[in-house]
mmCIF file with all atom_site columns, all heavy atoms in Angstrom:
data_model
loop_
_atom_site.group_PDB
_atom_site.id
_atom_site.type_symbol
_atom_site.label_atom_id
_atom_site.label_alt_id
_atom_site.label_comp_id
_atom_site.label_asym_id
_atom_site.label_entity_id
_atom_site.label_seq_id
_atom_site.pdbx_PDB_ins_code
_atom_site.Cartn_x
_atom_site.Cartn_y
_atom_site.Cartn_z
_atom_site.occupancy
_atom_site.B_iso_or_equiv
_atom_site.pdbx_formal_charge
_atom_site.auth_seq_id
_atom_site.auth_comp_id
_atom_site.auth_asym_id
_atom_site.auth_atom_id
_atom_site.pdbx_PDB_model_num
ATOM 1   N N   . HIS L 1 69 ? 49.508 87.790 149.291 1.00 97.00 ? 69 HIS L N   1
ATOM 2   C CA  . HIS L 1 69 ? 48.408 88.743 149.468 1.00 97.00 ? 69 HIS L CA  1
ATOM 3   C C   . HIS L 1 69 ? 47.085 88.009 149.311 1.00 97.00 ? 69 HIS L C   1
ATOM 4   O O   . HIS L 1 69 ? 46.988 87.031 148.577 1.00 97.00 ? 69 HIS L O   1
ATOM 5   C CB  . HIS L 1 69 ? 48.423 89.836 148.388 1.00 97.00 ? 69 HIS L CB  1
ATOM 6   C CG  . HIS L 1 69 ? 49.764 90.443 148.177 1.00 97.00 ? 69 HIS L CG  1
ATOM 7   N ND1 . HIS L 1 69 ? 50.317 91.332 149.069 1.00 97.00 ? 69 HIS L ND1 1
ATOM 8   C CD2 . HIS L 1 69 ? 50.668 90.283 147.186 1.00 97.00 ? 69 HIS L CD2 1
ATOM 9   C CE1 . HIS L 1 69 ? 51.506 91.694 148.627 1.00 97.00 ? 69 HIS L CE1 1
ATOM 10  N NE2 . HIS L 1 69 ? 51.744 91.060 147.498 1.00 97.00 ? 69 HIS L NE2 1
ATOM 11  N N   . ARG L 1 70 ? 46.077 88.567 149.956 1.00 98.00 ? 70 ARG L N   1
ATOM 12  C CA  . ARG L 1 70 ? 44.717 88.021 149.818 1.00 98.00 ? 70 ARG L CA  1
ATOM 13  C C   . ARG L 1 70 ? 44.275 88.028 148.346 1.00 98.00 ? 70 ARG L C   1
ATOM 14  O O   . ARG L 1 70 ? 43.607 87.111 147.875 1.00 98.00 ? 70 ARG L O   1
ATOM 15  C CB  . ARG L 1 70 ? 43.786 88.894 150.668 1.00 98.00 ? 70 ARG L CB  1
ATOM 16  C CG  . ARG L 1 70 ? 42.362 88.433 150.723 1.00 98.00 ? 70 ARG L CG  1
ATOM 17  C CD  . ARG L 1 70 ? 42.144 87.463 151.839 1.00 98.00 ? 70 ARG L CD  1
ATOM 18  N NE  . ARG L 1 70 ? 40.751 87.046 151.860 1.00 98.00 ? 70 ARG L NE  1
ATOM 19  C CZ  . ARG L 1 70 ? 40.164 86.492 152.895 1.00 98.00 ? 70 ARG L CZ  1
ATOM 20  N NH1 . ARG L 1 70 ? 40.841 86.278 153.996 1.00 98.00 ? 70 ARG L NH1 1
ATOM 21  N NH2 . ARG L 1 70 ? 38.913 86.117 152.835 1.00 98.00 ? 70 ARG L NH2 1
ATOM 22  N N   . ALA L 1 71 ? 44.687 89.086 147.607 1.00 98.00 ? 71 ALA L N   1
ATOM 23  C CA  . ALA L 1 71 ? 44.286 89.186 146.201 1.00 98.00 ? 71 ALA L CA  1
ATOM 24  C C   . ALA L 1 71 ? 44.890 88.046 145.373 1.00 98.00 ? 71 ALA L C   1
ATOM 25  O O   . ALA L 1 71 ? 44.275 87.568 144.412 1.00 98.00 ? 71 ALA L O   1
ATOM 26  C CB  . ALA L 1 71 ? 44.699 90.532 145.623 1.00 98.00 ? 71 ALA L CB  1
ATOM 27  N N   . ALA L 1 72 ? 46.102 87.603 145.750 1.00 98.00 ? 72 ALA L N   1
ATOM 28  C CA  . ALA L 1 72 ? 46.737 86.494 145.016 1.00 98.00 ? 72 ALA L CA  1
ATOM 29  C C   . ALA L 1 72 ? 45.984 85.191 145.296 1.00 98.00 ? 72 ALA L C   1
ATOM 30  O O   . ALA L 1 72 ? 45.800 84.353 144.395 1.00 98.00 ? 72 ALA L O   1
ATOM 31  C CB  . ALA L 1 72 ? 48.199 86.379 145.422 1.00 98.00 ? 72 ALA L CB  1
ATOM 32  N N   . TRP L 1 73 ? 45.556 85.018 146.533 1.00 98.00 ? 73 TRP L N   1
ATOM 33  C CA  . TRP L 1 73 ? 44.722 83.847 146.871 1.00 98.00 ? 73 TRP L CA  1
ATOM 34  C C   . TRP L 1 73 ? 43.422 83.872 146.064 1.00 98.00 ? 73 TRP L C   1
ATOM 35  O O   . TRP L 1 73 ? 43.010 82.866 145.471 1.00 98.00 ? 73 TRP L O   1
ATOM 36  C CB  . TRP L 1 73 ? 44.407 83.855 148.381 1.00 98.00 ? 73 TRP L CB  1
ATOM 37  C CG  . TRP L 1 73 ? 43.368 82.860 148.780 1.00 98.00 ? 73 TRP L CG  1
ATOM 38  C CD1 . TRP L 1 73 ? 43.540 81.527 148.969 1.00 98.00 ? 73 TRP L CD1 1
ATOM 39  C CD2 . TRP L 1 73 ? 41.966 83.124 149.019 1.00 98.00 ? 73 TRP L CD2 1
ATOM 40  N NE1 . TRP L 1 73 ? 42.346 80.937 149.319 1.00 98.00 ? 73 TRP L NE1 1
ATOM 41  C CE2 . TRP L 1 73 ? 41.368 81.894 149.360 1.00 98.00 ? 73 TRP L CE2 1
ATOM 42  C CE3 . TRP L 1 73 ? 41.182 84.276 148.996 1.00 98.00 ? 73 TRP L CE3 1
ATOM 43  C CZ2 . TRP L 1 73 ? 40.017 81.779 149.665 1.00 98.00 ? 73 TRP L CZ2 1
ATOM 44  C CZ3 . TRP L 1 73 ? 39.828 84.169 149.297 1.00 98.00 ? 73 TRP L CZ3 1
ATOM 45  C CH2 . TRP L 1 73 ? 39.258 82.936 149.622 1.00 98.00 ? 73 TRP L CH2 1
ATOM 46  N N   . ASP L 1 74 ? 42.813 85.033 146.007 1.00 98.00 ? 74 ASP L N   1
ATOM 47  C CA  . ASP L 1 74 ? 41.545 85.174 145.286 1.00 98.00 ? 74 ASP L CA  1
ATOM 48  C C   . ASP L 1 74 ? 41.728 84.851 143.803 1.00 98.00 ? 74 ASP L C   1
ATOM 49  O O   . ASP L 1 74 ? 40.878 84.189 143.191 1.00 98.00 ? 74 ASP L O   1
ATOM 50  C CB  . ASP L 1 74 ? 41.031 86.604 145.478 1.00 98.00 ? 74 ASP L CB  1
ATOM 51  C CG  . ASP L 1 74 ? 39.602 86.762 145.029 1.00 98.00 ? 74 ASP L CG  1
ATOM 52  O OD1 . ASP L 1 74 ? 38.744 86.010 145.520 1.00 98.00 ? 74 ASP L OD1 1
ATOM 53  O OD2 . ASP L 1 74 ? 39.349 87.613 144.159 1.00 98.00 ? 74 ASP L OD2 1
ATOM 54  N N   . ALA L 1 75 ? 42.860 85.301 143.237 1.00 98.00 ? 75 ALA L N   1
ATOM 55  C CA  . ALA L 1 75 ? 43.132 85.035 141.811 1.00 98.00 ? 75 ALA L CA  1
ATOM 56  C C   . ALA L 1 75 ? 43.341 83.542 141.572 1.00 98.00 ? 75 ALA L C   1
ATOM 57  O O   . ALA L 1 75 ? 42.847 82.985 140.581 1.00 98.00 ? 75 ALA L O   1
ATOM 58  C CB  . ALA L 1 75 ? 44.350 85.827 141.359 1.00 98.00 ? 75 ALA L CB  1
ATOM 59  N N   . ALA L 1 76 ? 44.048 82.877 142.480 1.00 98.00 ? 76 ALA L N   1
ATOM 60  C CA  . ALA L 1 76 ? 44.276 81.435 142.330 1.00 98.00 ? 76 ALA L CA  1
ATOM 61  C C   . ALA L 1 76 ? 42.961 80.664 142.452 1.00 98.00 ? 76 ALA L C   1
ATOM 62  O O   . ALA L 1 76 ? 42.696 79.723 141.682 1.00 98.00 ? 76 ALA L O   1
ATOM 63  C CB  . ALA L 1 76 ? 45.279 80.958 143.386 1.00 98.00 ? 76 ALA L CB  1
ATOM 64  N N   . LEU L 1 77 ? 42.150 81.076 143.404 1.00 98.00 ? 77 LEU L N   1
ATOM 65  C CA  . LEU L 1 77 ? 40.837 80.423 143.583 1.00 98.00 ? 77 LEU L CA  1
ATOM 66  C C   . LEU L 1 77 ? 39.990 80.612 142.323 1.00 98.00 ? 77 LEU L C   1
ATOM 67  O O   . LEU L 1 77 ? 39.366 79.665 141.818 1.00 98.00 ? 77 LEU L O   1
ATOM 68  C CB  . LEU L 1 77 ? 40.135 81.037 144.802 1.00 98.00 ? 77 LEU L CB  1
ATOM 69  C CG  . LEU L 1 77 ? 38.843 80.371 145.253 1.00 98.00 ? 77 LEU L CG  1
ATOM 70  C CD1 . LEU L 1 77 ? 39.132 78.986 145.841 1.00 98.00 ? 77 LEU L CD1 1
ATOM 71  C CD2 . LEU L 1 77 ? 38.116 81.232 146.286 1.00 98.00 ? 77 LEU L CD2 1
ATOM 72  N N   . THR L 1 78 ? 40.018 81.826 141.795 1.00 98.00 ? 78 THR L N   1
ATOM 73  C CA  . THR L 1 78 ? 39.249 82.132 140.582 1.00 98.00 ? 78 THR L CA  1
ATOM 74  C C   . THR L 1 78 ? 39.707 81.253 139.426 1.00 98.00 ? 78 THR L C   1
ATOM 75  O O   . THR L 1 78 ? 38.881 80.669 138.706 1.00 98.00 ? 78 THR L O   1
ATOM 76  C CB  . THR L 1 78 ? 39.421 83.619 140.207 1.00 98.00 ? 78 THR L CB  1
ATOM 77  O OG1 . THR L 1 78 ? 39.011 84.421 141.310 1.00 98.00 ? 78 THR L OG1 1
ATOM 78  C CG2 . THR L 1 78 ? 38.609 83.986 138.969 1.00 98.00 ? 78 THR L CG2 1
ATOM 79  N N   . GLU L 1 79 ? 41.020 81.133 139.271 1.00 98.00 ? 79 GLU L N   1
ATOM 80  C CA  . GLU L 1 79 ? 41.562 80.351 138.151 1.00 98.00 ? 79 GLU L CA  1
ATOM 81  C C   . GLU L 1 79 ? 41.181 78.873 138.285 1.00 98.00 ? 79 GLU L C   1
ATOM 82  O O   . GLU L 1 79 ? 40.788 78.227 137.309 1.00 98.00 ? 79 GLU L O   1
ATOM 83  C CB  . GLU L 1 79 ? 43.083 80.516 138.112 1.00 98.00 ? 79 GLU L CB  1
ATOM 84  C CG  . GLU L 1 79 ? 43.691 80.051 136.815 1.00 98.00 ? 79 GLU L CG  1
ATOM 85  C CD  . GLU L 1 79 ? 45.205 80.227 136.815 1.00 98.00 ? 79 GLU L CD  1
ATOM 86  O OE1 . GLU L 1 79 ? 45.703 81.193 137.438 1.00 98.00 ? 79 GLU L OE1 1
ATOM 87  O OE2 . GLU L 1 79 ? 45.875 79.376 136.216 1.00 98.00 ? 79 GLU L OE2 1
ATOM 88  N N   . SER L 1 80 ? 41.297 78.338 139.503 1.00 98.00 ? 80 SER L N   1
ATOM 89  C CA  . SER L 1 80 ? 40.944 76.925 139.692 1.00 98.00 ? 80 SER L CA  1
ATOM 90  C C   . SER L 1 80 ? 39.476 76.673 139.393 1.00 98.00 ? 80 SER L C   1
ATOM 91  O O   . SER L 1 80 ? 39.121 75.705 138.707 1.00 98.00 ? 80 SER L O   1
ATOM 92  C CB  . SER L 1 80 ? 41.254 76.477 141.122 1.00 98.00 ? 80 SER L CB  1
ATOM 93  O OG  . SER L 1 80 ? 42.639 76.440 141.317 1.00 98.00 ? 80 SER L OG  1
ATOM 94  N N   . VAL L 1 81 ? 38.614 77.542 139.903 1.00 98.00 ? 81 VAL L N   1
ATOM 95  C CA  . VAL L 1 81 ? 37.176 77.358 139.664 1.00 98.00 ? 81 VAL L CA  1
ATOM 96  C C   . VAL L 1 81 ? 36.877 77.503 138.178 1.00 98.00 ? 81 VAL L C   1
ATOM 97  O O   . VAL L 1 81 ? 36.156 76.679 137.584 1.00 98.00 ? 81 VAL L O   1
ATOM 98  C CB  . VAL L 1 81 ? 36.344 78.359 140.501 1.00 98.00 ? 81 VAL L CB  1
ATOM 99  C CG1 . VAL L 1 81 ? 34.865 78.288 140.111 1.00 98.00 ? 81 VAL L CG1 1
ATOM 100 C CG2 . VAL L 1 81 ? 36.513 78.076 141.996 1.00 98.00 ? 81 VAL L CG2 1
ATOM 101 N N   . ALA L 1 82 ? 37.447 78.524 137.543 1.00 98.00 ? 82 ALA L N   1
ATOM 102 C CA  . ALA L 1 82 ? 37.170 78.778 136.123 1.00 98.00 ? 82 ALA L CA  1
ATOM 103 C C   . ALA L 1 82 ? 37.575 77.586 135.264 1.00 98.00 ? 82 ALA L C   1
ATOM 104 O O   . ALA L 1 82 ? 36.927 77.294 134.252 1.00 98.00 ? 82 ALA L O   1
ATOM 105 C CB  . ALA L 1 82 ? 37.893 80.035 135.666 1.00 98.00 ? 82 ALA L CB  1
ATOM 106 N N   . GLY L 1 83 ? 38.628 76.876 135.674 1.00 98.00 ? 83 GLY L N   1
ATOM 107 C CA  . GLY L 1 83 ? 39.093 75.718 134.919 1.00 98.00 ? 83 GLY L CA  1
ATOM 108 C C   . GLY L 1 83 ? 38.040 74.631 134.772 1.00 98.00 ? 83 GLY L C   1
ATOM 109 O O   . GLY L 1 83 ? 38.104 73.808 133.854 1.00 98.00 ? 83 GLY L O   1
#
Side-chain angles (χ1 to χ4, degrees):
H69 313 285
R70 184 89 180 199
W73 169 79
D74 192 55
L77 188 69
T78 303
E79 195 180 327
S80 291
V81 173

